[in-house]
Amino acid sequence: MYRLLVGAVLAALMSWPAARVAADSKQDAFLDLARRGWVYELRTTMVGRDLSIPVSINGRDLAGASLCLVGERPREATREVLTAFRALMYEAHGKPVPMRFAGPTARLCGAGRVVVLRLFSNRPPNAALTDDLTWMNAVHQLGLPQGRVYAAASPAMAQTFFGRRGSGTHIMVKQPGSDSLSPLERDFYRSILIEELYQSFTFGMDILHLDRSAPYLSKLEEFPVDLTRMPWDSRAFMRGLLGSNPRGLCEFDVFMLHAVATSDVAQTTEAAFLDDIRRRWPELIERTAASMADARFAPILDADCRGETPPASEKG
């Protein structure tokens, strides 16, 4: 008995440095990604926008905001993602994310704390997008150029504007046209919706991932691919986009959701946010582990965090 106990203690002491190094390495990697994805200076590239409007970003700003669906009603695959994401947001913030379908236009969403999600499955509804943003501009006094026409540049896009009467978030995502999907299609539509929802509700930015051989740690990491001439419905486009980043939220992403939700910093774009993460590291890791193991969130998680090409059976 004594020998066994001594052996166990010695084994623990010998393994402790390696475990500590691994933990320190993980903390360093997470902090580096947090710095690149959250600590940034906001700029606008929209010509003619009123730049005198003050901007203050805190990842908790959308906690408890309602989700207003417009355009098409959500398909089964879309509903699955929305259900899991809303549950994860409630887990992190302790506040529900009410959701309703309003109809054809954002004008029916109301002027409260609302995130507009426009769903479409065929050609991008650019006229409807323009009308949505024109209405949001009037309600929140966003300072957008008068008479501007907007068009979708990708099958999934999200925009948050800061105005004199609050901020407005608009998401537009392509969804499947039916509930009968191939594995490739299911992964694709799931992936693009997860990414836009996560970025909109946490204010995380894209993180460039240039080394193909390096493992992904975040859904926000993206390997640059040129898909500009490919139809959005083509398998080549779907494979290319899926291969550019993980298909769901990684451990780091869930970690950052908890970090954002429970932080007390004034703005999550400040360097003080990183200090807050360091201070609360053990608590955040514990919260993250519990969420990653929760079956309710499985539809939006990628536990292996892989950005890989779909199986050969899907190629063509």
Side-chain angles (χ1 to χ4, degrees):
M1 180 70 178
Y2 174 75
R3 287 184 179 179
L4 288 175
L5 179 59
V6 170
V9 172
L10 288 175
L13 289 174
M14 291 175 65
S15 64
W16 179 83
R20 179 59 184 270
V21 168
D24 287 349
S25 176
K26 182 175 185 175
Q27 185 178 29
D28 290 343
F30 276 25
L31 284 169
D32 178 61
L33 283 175
R35 176 185 57 79
R36 289 193 282 157
W38 272 264
V39 181
Y40 54 82
E41 181 181 347
L42 193 67
R43 291 188 175 93
T44 182
T45 57
M46 184 179 292
V47 176
R49 185 168 184 267
D50 183 354
L51 302 182
S52 68
I53 298 173
V55 174
S56 177
I57 298 177
N58 191 303
R60 298 187 304 276
D61 287 348
L62 292 180
S66 63
L67 194 57
C68 182
L69 277 53
V70 298
E72 297 179 353
R73 290 187 176 275
R75 291 287 184 181
E76 179 183 350
T78 305
R79 291 197 302 270
E80 184 181 40
V81 168
L82 291 172
T83 298
F85 182 79
R86 291 168 63 216
L88 181 57
M89 286 292 293
Y90 181 78
E91 177 80 2
H93 289 276
K95 297 180 179 180
V97 180
M99 183 177 76
R100 71 183 181 94
F101 178 74
T105 172
R107 295 175 183 270
L108 301 174
C109 288
R113 295 179 63 245
V114 174
V115 173
V116 176
L117 172 58
R118 174 167 290 281
L119 298 170
F120 70 100
S121 59
N122 295 308
R123 296 177 62 85
N126 294 329
L129 169 64
T130 299
D131 184 67
D132 289 348
L133 295 183
T134 299
W135 170 77
M136 290 171 62
N137 188 30
V139 169
H140 300 293
Q141 293 188 4
L142 304 177
L144 303 183
Q146 295 296 320
R148 176 74 179 267
V149 175
Y150 301 90
S154 71
M157 52 186 284
Q159 305 171 86
T160 293
F161 301 98
F162 297 88
R164 301 195 183 280
R165 292 181 178 172
S167 62
T169 296
H170 188 282
I171 306 171
M172 190 165 83
V173 179
K174 185 175 175 64
Q175 68 167 350
S178 74
D179 290 327
S180 179
L181 303 175
S182 68
L184 173 65
E185 291 170 327
R186 180 171 293 278
D187 282 348
F188 171 75
Y189 288 114
R190 169 178 169 265
S191 176
I192 60 176
L193 179 57
I194 291 169
E195 184 167 345
E196 299 307 327
L197 287 171
Y198 179 77
Q199 289 194 280
S200 294
F201 277 86
T202 65
F203 291 94
M205 301 290 284
D206 292 339
I207 301 171
L208 201 57
H209 184 100
L210 294 176
D211 185 356
R212 261 299 192 198
S213 64
Y216 285 93
L217 295 178
S218 171
K219 175 66 172 165
L220 300 192
E221 291 186 273
E222 292 189 356
F223 183 85
V225 290
D226 185 6
L227 306 173
T228 51
R229 292 181 174 83
M230 294 183 185
W232 296 346
D233 287 324
S234 69
R235 286 185 291 174
F237 183 91
M238 293 182 184
R239 287 198 304 267
L241 203 60
L242 282 173
S244 68
N245 71 353
R247 303 184 186 193
L249 301 180
C250 304
E251 179 190 8
F252 166 80
D253 303 315
V254 177
F255 174 91
M256 287 305 297
L257 179 56
H258 284 293
V260 163
T262 56
S263 176
D264 59 2
V265 297
Q267 297 188 67
T268 49
T269 53
E270 297 176 343
F273 183 39
L274 302 181
D275 296 330
D276 181 62
I277 291 174
R278 288 189 190 93
R279 179 177 57 83
R280 299 188 300 118
W281 175 263
E283 167 204 340
L284 294 173
I285 284 292
E286 184 177 348
R287 287 174 177 263
T288 302
S291 295
M292 294 297 293
D294 195 320
R296 293 176 300 163
F297 313 138
I300 61 173
L301 300 182
D302 185 349
D304 297 324
C305 202
R306 295 175 300 182
E308 61 182 17
T309 304
S313 60
E314 284 293 347
K315 296 180 180 179

